[in-house]
Amino acid sequence: MLTKVYGSAVFGVEATTITVEVNIDKGIGYHLVGLPDNAIKESNYRIAAALQNNGYKIPGKKITINMAPADLRKEGSAYDLTLALGILAASNQIKSESIEKYIIMGELSLDGSLQPIKGALPIAIKAKEEGFKGFILPNENAREAAIVDELEVYGIDNIKEVMDFFDKGTPLEQTIIDTQEEFYKNLDFPEFDFSDVKGQESIKRCMEIAAAGGHNIILIGPPGAGKTMLAKRLPSILPPMTLHEALETTKIHSVVGKIKNMGLMNQRPFRSPHHTISDVALVGGGAYPQPGEISLSHNGVLFLDELPEFKRGVLEVMRQPLEDREVTISRARFTVTYPSSFMLVASMNPSPGGYFNDPDAPVTSSPAEMQRYLSKISGPLLDRIDIHIEVTPVPFEKLSEERKGEGSVEIRKRVTAAREIQTQRFADMENVHYNAQMNTKQIRKYCIMDDASKELLKNAMERLNLSARAYDRILKVARTIADLENAADVSGSHIGEAIQYRSLDREGWLG
């Protein structure tokens, strides 16, 4: 007897429906075709044990299973439940009248219990698009999939539950989530707050500008100056995520299996990989491509602490994603694209010894050592970072103050107001939402300067020997400063402040 059941494969952040055809005929054998990987080929052992431990069995006949489309590589153990139910239905051990109405996925343990899968959210979205009635999957992934409206989602703990559902009509408990309620839950409770930061008012100002315009920023200062503390608080002043951003972010984290027992992600991600990370782990890829740290930072912050300690090759692969805000990974048979629209926050010591430009500390690094240290960061990469700012240690008098600084809630209000101005400005543009995303044509349109501003910028360009890309970065930052003041035009004061935020362009840093 021939039976069809349906599963799904995830490529990039999108799912593709897989038809599992099971045919049982006279003879002996177990034949699995359709480009399955080793984890799927081993599934017959898990299936046999799970069925036997729940009162069923694999029939002693010739079993042929085709996973269509046959030219698409399938991977992972999440097809165990799909294959098991296909075998049971084809051998008439359970009824199969309604089995084709559901997407069924789950990894089996030997006792029949279900292990969580990856990519439940994109699979659920695809199931709804293709008109399936419901999605049956492990209980740990049910809340994630239930974000999708108009799709019945059933989370199960054991294969016996789903066998009784199809064979005896025993009802399964549907997982229902109010997406709007899930989105707004704990939306305004960031883990870290800027009120914890003593002093550093100029740095807070830089962080506010960076957040308001989505600008990349690098913090340069000696150990203990507070660079990491400031970076961790940046997400707390970013505008709240929109529902669309939350769905995008949740999909990416779903693909790598980071949404267990969770619903919708409504806090902006903050990723801080170690400096020993490989280029594949940072950007994504592998034999079976997976998102890297920069995609997991989508709609949030990627923090690279001690930037010169990262391998130069690792940093260089970031240049294209920083510009295009997406990562494309090509293989011989397919190409996947991951979104990577993130804010880069980097930190570094000013010298190998950590105390260059500190009048109270001895100089322990020679000019040659300084040059080697700073040359680990290429000019083109630095050009893609809009704001460079020096962080100095906080004096004791500031640290010992009882009075708290301005909190994240107040700063976020100003940032959100500036972002709303940008949203209206770029309302007719598909891929531009804030100032940092402007291209050259848009910069010329929205960053109009008077003669005095042009002269100021010209002098800075000549004196600092700035590149054309740095010129554009200054104008973008100046536009954001103007937006924070609700100013229609970019003035000389805005240009002057933006020029100050190019510390690493100054003589004495990179030569």
Side-chain angles (χ1 to χ4, degrees), residues 76-96:
S77 53
Y79 297 97
D80 289 358
L81 185 61
T82 323
L83 298 172
L85 290 176
I87 291 170
L88 291 174
S91 58
N92 292 318
Q93 295 183 69
I94 62 170
K95 297 173 183 175
S96 60

Side-chain angles (χ1 to χ4, degrees), residues 57-274:
K57 63 179 182 178
I58 290 185
K61 295 184 178 181
K62 182 181 178 182
I63 302 173
T64 304
I65 302 174
N66 178 45
M67 304 180 76
D71 62 344
L72 196 66
R73 181 82 174 172
K74 292 85 181 177
E75 62 173 21
S77 53
Y79 297 97
D80 289 358
L81 185 61
T82 323
L83 298 172
L85 290 176
I87 291 170
L88 291 174
S91 58
N92 292 318
Q93 295 183 69
I94 62 170
K95 297 173 183 175
S96 60
E97 288 82 0
S98 61
I99 201 167
E100 294 184 10
K101 297 178 182 179
Y102 297 87
I103 292 287
I104 303 169
M105 296 292 286
E107 177 187 336
L108 284 171
S109 295
L110 299 186
D111 62 354
S113 60
L114 272 293
Q115 300 296 320
I117 64 172
K118 296 178 180 179
L121 179 56
I123 292 172
I125 292 170
K126 189 67 175 179
K128 177 188 174 182
E129 287 177 358
E130 298 200 347
F132 284 91
K133 180 181 181 182
F135 184 12
I136 298 172
L137 75 168
N139 211 14
E140 287 188 53
N141 301 112
R143 288 181 59 80
E144 171 188 347
I147 293 169
V148 180
D149 297 329
E150 301 175 18
L151 180 73
E152 296 176 11
V153 174
Y154 299 103
I156 61 171
D157 294 310
N158 193 285
I159 190 174
K160 190 74 166 65
E161 298 173 40
V162 69
M163 290 189 293
D164 290 344
F165 172 68
F166 286 116
D167 194 40
K168 302 175 183 178
T170 305
L172 294 173
E173 184 178 351
Q174 184 177 349
T175 302
I176 300 174
I177 283 183
D178 185 325
T179 306
Q180 292 288 338
E181 180 183 333
E182 188 76 11
F183 174 63
Y184 287 108
K185 183 173 66 177
N186 297 328
L187 191 62
D188 295 317
F189 295 95
E191 183 179 357
F192 300 105
D193 196 284
F194 266 102
S195 62
D196 302 328
V197 180
K198 300 290 182 70
Q200 306 288 24
E201 299 305 322
S202 62
I203 314 303
K204 284 185 180 180
R205 166 70 173 171
C206 284
M207 301 296 265
E208 180 179 336
I209 294 168
H215 302 289
N216 302 321
I217 182 171
I218 184 167
L219 309 173
I220 313 112
K227 302 186 293 296
T228 302
M229 183 182 188
L230 288 158
K232 285 183 176 179
R233 281 153 180 76
L234 182 58
S236 70
I237 63 171
L238 289 172
M241 294 179 82
T242 64
L243 183 57
H244 175 71
E245 287 177 329
L247 284 167
E248 268 190 336
T249 306
T250 305
K251 278 177 70 175
I252 298 169
H253 286 251
S254 172
V255 168
V256 293
K258 294 185 179 292
I259 311 290
K260 296 174 186 175
N261 292 320
M262 290 174 58
L264 192 65
M265 287 183 65
N266 60 2
Q267 296 289 343
R268 294 188 181 275
F270 179 87
R271 306 291 298 182
S272 180
H274 193 261

